[in-house]
Amino acid sequence: METPTWSESLPINRKKAIHELTQGQEWTDKLRQILQRSDHIESDPTSLDGVVDRILGMFDNTLSIMGSSSFNQPFQLPTNYLQSTCSIDEQKSSKPDDGFLFQSSYLHSLCSLDDQESRKFNETFPLQASYLESFHKSRKSDKNSRMVIPVKIKRGCYKRKNSWASTQLTSGLTDDGHAWRKYGQKKILESKHERSYYRCTYKLDQGCLATKQVQKIEDEPPLYKITYMRSHTCKNLQRAPQIILDSPNPRDTSILLNFEAKGLTGNKQVSSYFHTMKCEHEEGFPSFDNLRDNDQSTPSNNCLSWDPITQISQVPSEFVSMSVRLDHGVYLGSEHGDMTSSRAYSSMASIEQHEMDDMFGSNDFNDFSFCVL
DNA sequence: CAAATTTGACCATG
DNA sequence: CATGGTCAAATTTG
């Protein structure tokens, strides 16, 4: 099995997200039609549940996709849309980062969409389209106007060098198998809840530099964003690289992997932490329906158990490791950490192009690929 | 009493 | 200079 290269996979994620949103629209429309025929509900109440399930599943899938690293990809919106303000002039001085849609440069690129792209954008993001329209008008009337538009402010949104991170969204705080020591808590701008900072308990003993951040991003239902940074180097958790992953169900096309890079390239340590990565076959992102249709009664493999409720592979106590060969000839070990989030939110591998560039240099990274045997 | 947590100060970054 | 990340002294917990 070979997955797409990084340069290909990010746009694919975006396409998937758009596809899910489009599907969500269609099924919401079906729901509206059902509601218009109230007698239908009385005769077949289960059909309504089915439609609602499908809609929720699509939004879950989209959230999962959006929870990946590709925050800087176009057509992507925050789940908690922020109503801070910033003038276009101020935005011009900002560099693209994890920010949201309305960066100045991005607005300008949106203004140059062709008719079909523009229509798609308007359908998918009506609220944002209305802001874009305002932006259009202000550009026509006064090129120097300081129109105020909703935007995530950029200040303080930097990423420290060498801080490869992977992000996971979970509805509960569960033991991820590592020993953590809390070392800080911080109020984060525009965030309702404070962010907690944890380091590996064995940092002093063994110099393990792994850290994680935990932040509650939603109350109801509770949703936490957990960001892992740097790999564990503590003796307690290291395993020799080996491949013991398998799909829990032969018919199931998705597995959850957790990569943790340990390799060296040149004189730079590859400390990226690929976490809870979802791999799929080409035919598409598996919907919740597909997952439900699968026979989950016989968890088949030698390592993973399959939770029919969470749809997530669980590894009770063992750490899964696998060896990944890069085209650059670098071997990356990996470990399994947390596979026990209580809902099927999981992030894609989270690493950005410029971070890859930092690790390997910017040459030919489009050739990056990995194999799961 | 040792380990873990809290919290204000300090540091690095953009 | 504002912000997020880390340090370390004070405090709490087991």
Side-chain angles (χ1 to χ4, degrees):
Chain A
M1 181 177 85
E2 188 166 307
T3 64
T5 65
W6 285 99
S7 61
E8 288 168 339
S9 66
L10 291 179
I12 285 172
N13 286 348
R14 201 164 75 234
K15 285 176 190 169
K16 286 172 184 170
I18 290 171
H19 173 74
E20 289 294 324
L21 284 168
T22 307
Q23 292 280 297
Q25 275 190 320
E26 289 175 12
W27 281 94
T28 305
D29 193 52
K30 286 182 182 178
L31 176 62
R32 184 178 52 77
Q33 290 170 19
I34 290 173
L35 290 174
Q36 282 173 349
R37 293 177 292 135
S38 55
D39 57 321
H40 180 87
I41 297 175
E42 288 171 13
S43 63
D44 186 12
T46 56
S47 68
L48 186 58
D49 287 340
V51 172
V52 170
D53 280 349
R54 291 191 75 126
I55 293 169
L56 292 177
M58 285 156 191
F59 283 117
D60 276 353
N61 287 345
T62 309
L63 271 176
S64 180
I65 294 166
M66 296 288 189
S68 74
S69 63
S70 53
F71 278 118
N72 54 352
Q73 295 301 309
F75 292 2
Q76 185 152 333
L77 298 171
T79 53
N80 51 343
Y81 192 72
L82 299 172
Q83 287 285 331
S84 56
T85 59
C86 178
S87 76
I88 291 168
D89 287 356
E90 284 166 330
Q91 293 166 66
K92 278 178 181 170
S93 63
S94 303
K95 292 180 181 176
D97 60 351
D98 283 356
F100 297 136
L101 188 59
F102 289 104
Q103 293 168 21
S104 176
S105 59
Y106 191 53
L107 274 170
H108 282 275
S109 71
L110 285 173
C111 287
S112 61
L113 292 178
D114 66 29
D115 286 349
Q116 190 181 352
E117 290 168 333
S118 180
R119 194 161 48 245
K120 189 77 180 176
F121 177 79
N122 292 346
E123 285 172 5
T124 312
F125 304 117
L127 175 63
Q128 287 67 31
S130 70
Y131 287 123
L132 182 60
E133 191 181 350
S134 303
F135 178 65
H136 261 303
K137 288 177 182 172
S138 76
R139 277 212 315 177
K140 284 180 182 174
S141 60
D142 179 6
K143 284 183 180 177
N144 297 318
S145 70
R146 292 171 63 83
M147 187 187 74
V148 175
I149 54 176
V151 67
K152 180 194 176 187
I153 60 177
K154 302 283 102 182
R155 187 170 265 166
C157 297
Y158 67 92
K159 277 186 178 175
R160 293 187 181 218
K161 280 190 173 178
N162 302 321
S163 62
W164 337 117
S166 73
T167 302
Q168 196 174 27
L169 295 177
T170 174
S171 63
L173 294 175
T174 54
D175 182 7
D176 59 13
H178 295 280
W180 298 103
R181 168 79 58 86
K182 188 173 182 177
Y183 68 87
Q185 187 167 305
K186 198 83 180 172
K187 176 85 184 93
I188 301 301
L189 190 74
E190 301 291 352
S191 191
K192 247 192 299 183
H193 305 277
E194 295 194 321
R195 179 179 298 168
S196 296
Y197 299 87
Y198 298 84
R199 62 166 172 80
C200 179
T201 300
Y202 308 108
K203 179 183 180 181
L204 298 181
D205 300 3
Q206 303 175 34
C208 179
L209 295 176
T211 62
K212 77 169 178 179
Q213 300 174 1
V214 176
Q215 183 164 22
K216 194 175 189 179
I217 56 177
E218 275 181 30
D219 282 318
E220 283 300 327
L223 186 63
Y224 298 88
K225 179 181 177 183
I226 304 175
T227 304
Y228 293 87
M229 284 174 290
R230 302 193 202 92
S231 59
H232 277 277
T233 56
C234 47
K235 201 177 175 182
N236 309 54
L237 297 170
Q238 278 190 316
R239 299 287 189 280
Q242 54 182 309
I243 301 170
I244 48 176
L245 265 178
D246 195 2
S247 174
N249 185 321
R251 290 166 56 197
D252 179 47
T253 60
S254 69
I255 54 175
L256 286 165
L257 304 179
N258 180 34
F259 296 137
E260 182 168 13
K262 293 182 184 305
L264 293 169
T265 172
N267 55 2
K268 295 179 182 176
Q269 181 172 13
V270 181
S271 54
S272 172
Y273 197 149
F274 300 80
H275 199 83
T276 315
M277 183 178 195
K278 195 163 190 169
C279 297
E280 308 116 353
H281 288 289
E282 296 183 340
E283 50 264 33
F285 195 72
S287 70
F288 277 26
D289 260 14
N290 292 339
L291 290 168
R292 265 195 293 272
D293 290 341
N294 289 335
D295 176 15
Q296 293 149 7
S297 60
T298 54
S300 60
N301 66 82
N302 50 10
C303 164
L304 300 172
S305 64
W306 185 249
D307 186 333
I309 297 172
T310 64
Q311 313 279 14
I312 284 179
S313 303
Q314 306 214 351
V315 184
S317 59
E318 291 296 316
F319 291 90
V320 176
S321 298
M322 63 183 300
S323 170
V324 178
R325 180 191 172 277
L326 301 180
D327 286 347
H328 291 251
V330 177
Y331 285 85
L332 304 178
S334 65
E335 287 182 336
H336 174 74
D338 179 7
M339 284 289 187
T340 57
S341 62
S342 55
R343 258 191 103 181
Y345 291 125
S346 64
S347 70
M348 303 295 171
S350 173
I351 189 161
E352 296 178 0
Q353 184 66 54
H354 68 91
E355 294 171 337
M356 286 291 190
D357 292 346
D358 285 346
M359 284 191 295
F360 298 102
S362 57
N363 299 334
D364 299 329
F365 211 83
N366 286 347
D367 291 338
F368 174 89
S369 65
F370 60 85
C371 303
V372 179
L373 301 178

